[in-house]
PDB file of all heavy atoms in Angstrom:
ATOM      1  N   ARG A  23      63.845 -33.327 -41.169  1.00  0.00           N
ATOM      2  CA  ARG A  23      64.244 -32.584 -39.948  1.00  0.00           C
ATOM      3  C   ARG A  23      65.311 -33.475 -39.229  1.00  0.00           C
ATOM      4  O   ARG A  23      65.485 -34.665 -39.487  1.00  0.00           O
ATOM      5  CB  ARG A  23      63.025 -32.327 -39.126  1.00  0.00           C
ATOM      6  CG  ARG A  23      62.422 -33.563 -38.359  1.00  0.00           C
ATOM      7  CD  ARG A  23      61.418 -33.088 -37.327  1.00  0.00           C
ATOM      8  NE  ARG A  23      61.992 -32.046 -36.610  1.00  0.00           N
ATOM      9  CZ  ARG A  23      61.381 -30.769 -36.436  1.00  0.00           C
ATOM     10  NH1 ARG A  23      60.361 -30.517 -37.086  1.00  0.00           N
ATOM     11  NH2 ARG A  23      62.007 -29.903 -35.782  1.00  0.00           N
ATOM     12  N   LEU A  44      66.843 -33.023 -29.525  1.00  0.00           N
ATOM     13  CA  LEU A  44      66.500 -31.820 -28.801  1.00  0.00           C
ATOM     14  C   LEU A  44      66.460 -30.697 -29.926  1.00  0.00           C
ATOM     15  O   LEU A  44      67.485 -30.209 -30.397  1.00  0.00           O
ATOM     16  CB  LEU A  44      67.523 -31.517 -27.766  1.00  0.00           C
ATOM     17  CG  LEU A  44      67.280 -30.259 -26.886  1.00  0.00           C
ATOM     18  CD1 LEU A  44      66.013 -30.438 -26.169  1.00  0.00           C
ATOM     19  CD2 LEU A  44      68.453 -30.054 -25.931  1.00  0.00           C
ATOM     20  N   ASN A  45      65.298 -30.326 -30.295  1.00  0.00           N
ATOM     21  CA  ASN A  45      65.023 -29.514 -31.513  1.00  0.00           C
ATOM     22  C   ASN A  45      65.857 -28.235 -31.451  1.00  0.00           C
ATOM     23  O   ASN A  45      65.588 -27.440 -30.507  1.00  0.00           O
ATOM     24  CB  ASN A  45      63.532 -29.200 -31.563  1.00  0.00           C
ATOM     25  CG  ASN A  45      63.113 -28.702 -32.878  1.00  0.00           C
ATOM     26  OD1 ASN A  45      63.931 -28.644 -33.851  1.00  0.00           O
ATOM     27  ND2 ASN A  45      61.875 -28.423 -33.083  1.00  0.00           N
ATOM     28  N   GLY A  46      66.693 -27.950 -32.406  1.00  0.00           N
ATOM     29  CA  GLY A  46      67.504 -26.735 -32.463  1.00  0.00           C
ATOM     30  C   GLY A  46      68.792 -26.738 -31.644  1.00  0.00           C
ATOM     31  O   GLY A  46      69.602 -25.829 -31.745  1.00  0.00           O
ATOM     32  N   TYR A 128      45.166 -37.739 -30.510  1.00  0.00           N
ATOM     33  CA  TYR A 128      44.591 -36.536 -31.021  1.00  0.00           C
ATOM     34  C   TYR A 128      45.422 -36.111 -32.189  1.00  0.00           C
ATOM     35  O   TYR A 128      46.585 -36.077 -32.172  1.00  0.00           O
ATOM     36  CB  TYR A 128      44.305 -35.483 -30.010  1.00  0.00           C
ATOM     37  CG  TYR A 128      45.429 -34.812 -29.436  1.00  0.00           C
ATOM     38  CD1 TYR A 128      45.891 -33.630 -30.064  1.00  0.00           C
ATOM     39  CD2 TYR A 128      46.116 -35.156 -28.302  1.00  0.00           C
ATOM     40  CE1 TYR A 128      47.067 -32.862 -29.447  1.00  0.00           C
ATOM     41  CE2 TYR A 128      47.075 -34.392 -27.680  1.00  0.00           C
ATOM     42  CZ  TYR A 128      47.596 -33.321 -28.357  1.00  0.00           C
ATOM     43  OH  TYR A 128      48.630 -32.578 -27.711  1.00  0.00           O
ATOM     44  N   HIS A 130      46.047 -33.154 -35.475  1.00  0.00           N
ATOM     45  CA  HIS A 130      46.117 -31.759 -35.671  1.00  0.00           C
ATOM     46  C   HIS A 130      45.309 -31.223 -36.785  1.00  0.00           C
ATOM     47  O   HIS A 130      45.511 -31.741 -37.939  1.00  0.00           O
ATOM     48  CB  HIS A 130      47.592 -31.347 -36.011  1.00  0.00           C
ATOM     49  CG  HIS A 130      48.442 -31.414 -34.771  1.00  0.00           C
ATOM     50  ND1 HIS A 130      49.696 -30.792 -34.714  1.00  0.00           N
ATOM     51  CD2 HIS A 130      48.286 -32.041 -33.535  1.00  0.00           C
ATOM     52  CE1 HIS A 130      50.270 -31.021 -33.559  1.00  0.00           C
ATOM     53  NE2 HIS A 130      49.487 -31.811 -32.803  1.00  0.00           N
ATOM     54  N   ARG A 155      43.041 -31.461 -32.293  1.00  0.00           N
ATOM     55  CA  ARG A 155      43.625 -30.127 -31.756  1.00  0.00           C
ATOM     56  C   ARG A 155      43.432 -29.077 -32.950  1.00  0.00           C
ATOM     57  O   ARG A 155      43.767 -29.253 -34.083  1.00  0.00           O
ATOM     58  CB  ARG A 155      45.079 -30.268 -31.539  1.00  0.00           C
ATOM     59  CG  ARG A 155      45.662 -29.022 -30.958  1.00  0.00           C
ATOM     60  CD  ARG A 155      47.226 -29.257 -30.847  1.00  0.00           C
ATOM     61  NE  ARG A 155      47.900 -28.644 -31.987  1.00  0.00           N
ATOM     62  CZ  ARG A 155      49.139 -28.289 -32.077  1.00  0.00           C
ATOM     63  NH1 ARG A 155      49.863 -28.377 -30.934  1.00  0.00           N
ATOM     64  NH2 ARG A 155      49.610 -27.733 -33.127  1.00  0.00           N
ATOM     65  N   TYR A 167      51.677 -19.746 -34.804  1.00  0.00           N
ATOM     66  CA  TYR A 167      52.132 -21.250 -34.372  1.00  0.00           C
ATOM     67  C   TYR A 167      51.113 -22.199 -34.723  1.00  0.00           C
ATOM     68  O   TYR A 167      49.970 -22.007 -34.659  1.00  0.00           O
ATOM     69  CB  TYR A 167      52.335 -21.209 -32.771  1.00  0.00           C
ATOM     70  CG  TYR A 167      52.407 -22.635 -32.436  1.00  0.00           C
ATOM     71  CD1 TYR A 167      53.465 -23.462 -32.483  1.00  0.00           C
ATOM     72  CD2 TYR A 167      51.184 -23.250 -31.930  1.00  0.00           C
ATOM     73  CE1 TYR A 167      53.470 -24.776 -32.202  1.00  0.00           C
ATOM     74  CE2 TYR A 167      51.241 -24.602 -31.569  1.00  0.00           C
ATOM     75  CZ  TYR A 167      52.288 -25.382 -31.777  1.00  0.00           C
ATOM     76  OH  TYR A 167      52.266 -26.631 -31.475  1.00  0.00           O
ATOM     77  N   GLY A 168      51.632 -23.300 -35.302  1.00  0.00           N
ATOM     78  CA  GLY A 168      50.758 -24.563 -35.524  1.00  0.00           C
ATOM     79  C   GLY A 168      50.115 -24.439 -36.973  1.00  0.00           C
ATOM     80  O   GLY A 168      49.465 -25.271 -37.307  1.00  0.00           O
ATOM     81  N   TYR A 177      54.161 -27.153 -40.198  1.00  0.00           N
ATOM     82  CA  TYR A 177      54.613 -25.952 -39.416  1.00  0.00           C
ATOM     83  C   TYR A 177      55.946 -26.142 -38.703  1.00  0.00           C
ATOM     84  O   TYR A 177      56.686 -25.130 -38.525  1.00  0.00           O
ATOM     85  CB  TYR A 177      53.633 -25.596 -38.433  1.00  0.00           C
ATOM     86  CG  TYR A 177      53.354 -26.480 -37.267  1.00  0.00           C
ATOM     87  CD1 TYR A 177      53.870 -26.208 -36.014  1.00  0.00           C
ATOM     88  CD2 TYR A 177      52.578 -27.679 -37.484  1.00  0.00           C
ATOM     89  CE1 TYR A 177      53.602 -27.064 -34.917  1.00  0.00           C
ATOM     90  CE2 TYR A 177      52.402 -28.545 -36.465  1.00  0.00           C
ATOM     91  CZ  TYR A 177      53.008 -28.267 -35.147  1.00  0.00           C
ATOM     92  OH  TYR A 177      52.780 -29.079 -34.209  1.00  0.00           O
ATOM     93  N   GLU A 178      56.370 -27.271 -38.384  1.00  0.00           N
ATOM     94  CA  GLU A 178      57.635 -27.475 -37.655  1.00  0.00           C
ATOM     95  C   GLU A 178      58.553 -28.409 -38.328  1.00  0.00           C
ATOM     96  O   GLU A 178      59.537 -28.756 -37.881  1.00  0.00           O
ATOM     97  CB  GLU A 178      57.459 -27.952 -36.193  1.00  0.00           C
ATOM     98  CG  GLU A 178      57.151 -26.812 -35.292  1.00  0.00           C
ATOM     99  CD  GLU A 178      56.335 -27.233 -34.078  1.00  0.00           C
ATOM    100  OE1 GLU A 178      55.932 -28.359 -34.069  1.00  0.00           O
ATOM    101  OE2 GLU A 178      56.262 -26.346 -33.185  1.00  0.00           O
ATOM    102  N   ASP A 220      46.293 -25.591 -28.461  1.00  0.00           N
ATOM    103  CA  ASP A 220      47.645 -25.265 -27.813  1.00  0.00           C
ATOM    104  C   ASP A 220      47.848 -23.811 -27.953  1.00  0.00           C
ATOM    105  O   ASP A 220      47.979 -23.236 -29.010  1.00  0.00           O
ATOM    106  CB  ASP A 220      48.754 -26.036 -28.707  1.00  0.00           C
ATOM    107  CG  ASP A 220      50.058 -25.975 -27.962  1.00  0.00           C
ATOM    108  OD1 ASP A 220      50.321 -25.245 -26.954  1.00  0.00           O
ATOM    109  OD2 ASP A 220      50.980 -26.769 -28.434  1.00  0.00           O
ATOM    110  N   HIS A 222      50.503 -22.419 -26.746  1.00  0.00           N
ATOM    111  CA  HIS A 222      51.977 -22.322 -26.831  1.00  0.00           C
ATOM    112  C   HIS A 222      52.591 -21.195 -26.022  1.00  0.00           C
ATOM    113  O   HIS A 222      53.403 -20.378 -26.466  1.00  0.00           O
ATOM    114  CB  HIS A 222      52.395 -22.142 -28.354  1.00  0.00           C
ATOM    115  CG  HIS A 222      53.450 -23.019 -28.713  1.00  0.00           C
ATOM    116  ND1 HIS A 222      54.766 -22.641 -28.763  1.00  0.00           N
ATOM    117  CD2 HIS A 222      53.497 -24.336 -29.093  1.00  0.00           C
ATOM    118  CE1 HIS A 222      55.608 -23.621 -29.135  1.00  0.00           C
ATOM    119  NE2 HIS A 222      54.858 -24.761 -29.315  1.00  0.00           N
ATOM    120  N   GLU A 246      46.109 -26.466 -23.769  1.00  0.00           N
ATOM    121  CA  GLU A 246      47.583 -26.751 -23.598  1.00  0.00           C
ATOM    122  C   GLU A 246      48.481 -25.490 -23.467  1.00  0.00           C
ATOM    123  O   GLU A 246      48.281 -24.566 -24.254  1.00  0.00           O
ATOM    124  CB  GLU A 246      48.061 -27.590 -24.783  1.00  0.00           C
ATOM    125  CG  GLU A 246      49.492 -27.980 -24.611  1.00  0.00           C
ATOM    126  CD  GLU A 246      50.034 -28.645 -25.876  1.00  0.00           C
ATOM    127  OE1 GLU A 246      49.120 -29.205 -26.689  1.00  0.00           O
ATOM    128  OE2 GLU A 246      51.225 -28.689 -26.211  1.00  0.00           O
ATOM    129  N   ASP A 247      49.429 -25.579 -22.569  1.00  0.00           N
ATOM    130  CA  ASP A 247      50.428 -24.572 -22.507  1.00  0.00           C
ATOM    131  C   ASP A 247      49.825 -23.140 -22.500  1.00  0.00           C
ATOM    132  O   ASP A 247      50.218 -22.265 -23.301  1.00  0.00           O
ATOM    133  CB  ASP A 247      51.544 -24.674 -23.500  1.00  0.00           C
ATOM    134  CG  ASP A 247      52.479 -25.832 -23.147  1.00  0.00           C
ATOM    135  OD1 ASP A 247      52.549 -26.228 -22.002  1.00  0.00           O
ATOM    136  OD2 ASP A 247      53.296 -26.176 -24.120  1.00  0.00           O
ATOM    137  N   GLU A 272      55.479 -30.276 -22.117  1.00  0.00           N
ATOM    138  CA  GLU A 272      56.313 -30.893 -23.166  1.00  0.00           C
ATOM    139  C   GLU A 272      57.744 -30.515 -23.081  1.00  0.00           C
ATOM    140  O   GLU A 272      58.567 -31.134 -23.672  1.00  0.00           O
ATOM    141  CB  GLU A 272      55.701 -30.534 -24.515  1.00  0.00           C
ATOM    142  CG  GLU A 272      55.728 -29.028 -24.875  1.00  0.00           C
ATOM    143  CD  GLU A 272      55.027 -28.640 -26.197  1.00  0.00           C
ATOM    144  OE1 GLU A 272      54.023 -29.249 -26.461  1.00  0.00           O
ATOM    145  OE2 GLU A 272      55.616 -27.774 -26.861  1.00  0.00           O
ATOM    146  N   THR A 273      57.981 -29.336 -22.360  1.00  0.00           N
ATOM    147  CA  THR A 273      59.437 -28.953 -22.280  1.00  0.00           C
ATOM    148  C   THR A 273      60.066 -29.389 -20.997  1.00  0.00           C
ATOM    149  O   THR A 273      61.213 -29.077 -20.681  1.00  0.00           O
ATOM    150  CB  THR A 273      59.624 -27.375 -22.340  1.00  0.00           C
ATOM    151  OG1 THR A 273      58.906 -26.842 -21.305  1.00  0.00           O
ATOM    152  CG2 THR A 273      58.980 -26.929 -23.712  1.00  0.00           C
ATOM    153  N   ARG A 293      52.175 -33.362 -20.099  1.00  0.00           N
ATOM    154  CA  ARG A 293      52.507 -33.608 -21.519  1.00  0.00           C
ATOM    155  C   ARG A 293      53.992 -34.078 -21.587  1.00  0.00           C
ATOM    156  O   ARG A 293      54.559 -33.939 -22.705  1.00  0.00           O
ATOM    157  CB  ARG A 293      52.242 -32.375 -22.271  1.00  0.00           C
ATOM    158  CG  ARG A 293      50.753 -31.892 -22.174  1.00  0.00           C
ATOM    159  CD  ARG A 293      50.016 -31.859 -23.450  1.00  0.00           C
ATOM    160  NE  ARG A 293      50.853 -31.470 -24.553  1.00  0.00           N
ATOM    161  CZ  ARG A 293      51.180 -32.113 -25.623  1.00  0.00           C
ATOM    162  NH1 ARG A 293      50.774 -33.428 -25.731  1.00  0.00           N
ATOM    163  NH2 ARG A 293      51.919 -31.618 -26.590  1.00  0.00           N
ATOM    164  N   HIS A 298      62.478 -36.030 -23.489  1.00  0.00           N
ATOM    165  CA  HIS A 298      62.947 -34.838 -22.884  1.00  0.00           C
ATOM    166  C   HIS A 298      62.935 -34.894 -21.471  1.00  0.00           C
ATOM    167  O   HIS A 298      63.389 -33.954 -20.709  1.00  0.00           O
ATOM    168  CB  HIS A 298      62.229 -33.544 -23.466  1.00  0.00           C
ATOM    169  CG  HIS A 298      62.466 -33.396 -24.891  1.00  0.00           C
ATOM    170  ND1 HIS A 298      61.400 -33.257 -25.787  1.00  0.00           N
ATOM    171  CD2 HIS A 298      63.607 -33.533 -25.644  1.00  0.00           C
ATOM    172  CE1 HIS A 298      61.929 -33.178 -27.098  1.00  0.00           C
ATOM    173  NE2 HIS A 298      63.273 -33.335 -27.012  1.00  0.00           N
ATOM    174  N   HIS A 322      53.695 -35.696 -25.350  1.00  0.00           N
ATOM    175  CA  HIS A 322      54.029 -34.845 -26.400  1.00  0.00           C
ATOM    176  C   HIS A 322      54.295 -35.759 -27.688  1.00  0.00           C
ATOM    177  O   HIS A 322      54.931 -36.724 -27.507  1.00  0.00           O
ATOM    178  CB  HIS A 322      55.291 -34.107 -26.045  1.00  0.00           C
ATOM    179  CG  HIS A 322      55.694 -33.042 -26.969  1.00  0.00           C
ATOM    180  ND1 HIS A 322      56.951 -32.501 -27.121  1.00  0.00           N
ATOM    181  CD2 HIS A 322      54.886 -32.261 -27.842  1.00  0.00           C
ATOM    182  CE1 HIS A 322      57.013 -31.508 -28.006  1.00  0.00           C
ATOM    183  NE2 HIS A 322      55.778 -31.366 -28.444  1.00  0.00           N
ATOM    184  N   GLY A 323      53.787 -35.324 -28.837  1.00  0.00           N
ATOM    185  CA  GLY A 323      53.859 -36.139 -30.055  1.00  0.00           C
ATOM    186  C   GLY A 323      54.249 -35.372 -31.254  1.00  0.00           C
ATOM    187  O   GLY A 323      53.835 -35.689 -32.340  1.00  0.00           O
ATOM    188  N   ALA A 324      55.019 -34.308 -31.032  1.00  0.00           N
ATOM    189  CA  ALA A 324      55.290 -33.317 -32.148  1.00  0.00           C
ATOM    190  C   ALA A 324      56.294 -34.112 -33.166  1.00  0.00           C
ATOM    191  O   ALA A 324      56.899 -35.056 -32.828  1.00  0.00           O
ATOM    192  CB  ALA A 324      55.943 -32.074 -31.701  1.00  0.00           C
ATOM    193  N   PRO A 325      56.426 -33.471 -34.347  1.00  0.00           N
ATOM    194  CA  PRO A 325      57.329 -34.081 -35.400  1.00  0.00           C
ATOM    195  C   PRO A 325      58.773 -34.051 -35.022  1.00  0.00           C
ATOM    196  O   PRO A 325      59.560 -34.692 -35.639  1.00  0.00           O
ATOM    197  CB  PRO A 325      57.024 -33.156 -36.634  1.00  0.00           C
ATOM    198  CG  PRO A 325      56.053 -32.133 -36.273  1.00  0.00           C
ATOM    199  CD  PRO A 325      55.641 -32.304 -34.856  1.00  0.00           C
ATOM    200  N   ASP A 326      59.213 -33.360 -33.938  1.00  0.00           N
ATOM    201  CA  ASP A 326      60.549 -33.325 -33.624  1.00  0.00           C
ATOM    202  C   ASP A 326      60.952 -34.393 -32.577  1.00  0.00           C
ATOM    203  O   ASP A 326      62.105 -34.409 -32.082  1.00  0.00           O
ATOM    204  CB  ASP A 326      60.972 -31.948 -33.094  1.00  0.00           C
ATOM    205  CG  ASP A 326      60.195 -31.435 -31.984  1.00  0.00           C
ATOM    206  OD1 ASP A 326      58.905 -31.123 -32.209  1.00  0.00           O
ATOM    207  OD2 ASP A 326      60.613 -31.181 -30.846  1.00  0.00           O
ATOM    208  N   LEU A 327      59.983 -35.276 -32.334  1.00  0.00           N
ATOM    209  CA  LEU A 327      60.300 -36.451 -31.507  1.00  0.00           C
ATOM    210  C   LEU A 327      60.353 -37.633 -32.536  1.00  0.00           C
ATOM    211  O   LEU A 327      59.580 -37.805 -33.364  1.00  0.00           O
ATOM    212  CB  LEU A 327      59.220 -36.731 -30.501  1.00  0.00           C
ATOM    213  CG  LEU A 327      59.112 -35.641 -29.450  1.00  0.00           C
ATOM    214  CD1 LEU A 327      57.804 -35.551 -28.807  1.00  0.00           C
ATOM    215  CD2 LEU A 327      60.196 -35.889 -28.332  1.00  0.00           C
ATOM    216  N   GLU A 349      49.320 -37.231 -28.349  1.00  0.00           N
ATOM    217  CA  GLU A 349      49.347 -36.409 -29.542  1.00  0.00           C
ATOM    218  C   GLU A 349      49.923 -37.218 -30.741  1.00  0.00           C
ATOM    219  O   GLU A 349      50.840 -37.955 -30.546  1.00  0.00           O
ATOM    220  CB  GLU A 349      50.253 -35.177 -29.188  1.00  0.00           C
ATOM    221  CG  GLU A 349      50.356 -34.180 -30.387  1.00  0.00           C
ATOM    222  CD  GLU A 349      51.226 -32.987 -30.003  1.00  0.00           C
ATOM    223  OE1 GLU A 349      52.095 -33.150 -29.153  1.00  0.00           O
ATOM    224  OE2 GLU A 349      51.096 -32.035 -30.616  1.00  0.00           O
ATOM    225  N   VAL A 351      50.976 -36.697 -35.012  1.00  0.00           N
ATOM    226  CA  VAL A 351      51.129 -35.984 -36.225  1.00  0.00           C
ATOM    227  C   VAL A 351      51.319 -36.793 -37.470  1.00  0.00           C
ATOM    228  O   VAL A 351      51.871 -36.285 -38.462  1.00  0.00           O
ATOM    229  CB  VAL A 351      52.125 -34.898 -36.063  1.00  0.00           C
ATOM    230  CG1 VAL A 351      51.754 -33.831 -34.973  1.00  0.00           C
ATOM    231  CG2 VAL A 351      53.500 -35.493 -35.694  1.00  0.00           C
ATOM    232  N   LEU A 400      64.148 -23.414 -34.143  1.00  0.00           N
ATOM    233  CA  LEU A 400      62.791 -23.115 -33.985  1.00  0.00           C
ATOM    234  C   LEU A 400      62.780 -21.554 -34.163  1.00  0.00           C
ATOM    235  O   LEU A 400      63.756 -20.910 -34.044  1.00  0.00           O
ATOM    236  CB  LEU A 400      62.290 -23.496 -32.641  1.00  0.00           C
ATOM    237  CG  LEU A 400      61.885 -24.928 -32.418  1.00  0.00           C
ATOM    238  CD1 LEU A 400      61.874 -25.258 -30.947  1.00  0.00           C
ATOM    239  CD2 LEU A 400      60.612 -25.298 -33.145  1.00  0.00           C
ATOM    240  N   TRP A 413      57.822 -18.099 -27.647  1.00  0.00           N
ATOM    241  CA  TRP A 413      57.428 -18.724 -28.884  1.00  0.00           C
ATOM    242  C   TRP A 413      56.560 -19.913 -28.546  1.00  0.00           C
ATOM    243  O   TRP A 413      56.793 -20.662 -27.639  1.00  0.00           O
ATOM    244  CB  TRP A 413      58.551 -19.167 -29.654  1.00  0.00           C
ATOM    245  CG  TRP A 413      58.054 -19.793 -31.018  1.00  0.00           C
ATOM    246  CD1 TRP A 413      57.510 -19.124 -32.101  1.00  0.00           C
ATOM    247  CD2 TRP A 413      57.980 -21.149 -31.365  1.00  0.00           C
ATOM    248  NE1 TRP A 413      57.047 -19.989 -33.083  1.00  0.00           N
ATOM    249  CE2 TRP A 413      57.293 -21.262 -32.594  1.00  0.00           C
ATOM    250  CE3 TRP A 413      58.316 -22.346 -30.640  1.00  0.00           C
ATOM    251  CZ2 TRP A 413      57.090 -22.507 -33.203  1.00  0.00           C
ATOM    252  CZ3 TRP A 413      58.051 -23.518 -31.254  1.00  0.00           C
ATOM    253  CH2 TRP A 413      57.383 -23.625 -32.569  1.00  0.00           C
TER     254      TRP A 413
HETATM  255  C1  LIG B 530      53.137 -29.611 -29.574  1.00  0.00           C
HETATM  256  C2  LIG B 530      54.287 -28.762 -29.383  1.00  0.00           C
HETATM  257  C3  LIG B 530      55.228 -28.650 -30.505  1.00  0.00           C
HETATM  258  C4  LIG B 530      56.465 -27.788 -30.174  1.00  0.00           C
HETATM  259  C5  LIG B 530      57.703 -28.406 -30.773  1.00  0.00           C
HETATM  260  C6  LIG B 530      58.901 -27.615 -30.373  1.00  0.00           C
HETATM  261  O1  LIG B 530      52.217 -29.411 -28.902  1.00  0.00           O
HETATM  262  O2  LIG B 530      53.161 -30.506 -30.424  1.00  0.00           O
HETATM  263  O3  LIG B 530      53.912 -27.541 -28.907  1.00  0.00           O
HETATM  264  O4  LIG B 530      54.523 -28.077 -31.534  1.00  0.00           O
HETATM  265  O5  LIG B 530      56.377 -26.526 -30.602  1.00  0.00           O
HETATM  266  O6  LIG B 530      57.842 -29.688 -30.291  1.00  0.00           O
HETATM  267  O7  LIG B 530      60.117 -28.273 -30.809  1.00  0.00           O
END
Side-chain angles (χ1 to χ4, degrees):
R23 68 167 318 117
L44 184 61
N45 201 358
Y128 72 87
H130 286 195
R155 185 188 94 159
Y167 161 78
Y177 71 102
E178 275 157 348
D220 189 350
H222 226 262
E246 177 188 340
D247 283 344
E272 66 184 39
T273 62
R293 306 245 316 120
H298 299 132
H322 190 202
D326 53 297
L327 293 155
E349 181 181 22
V351 292
L400 282 165
W413 180 74

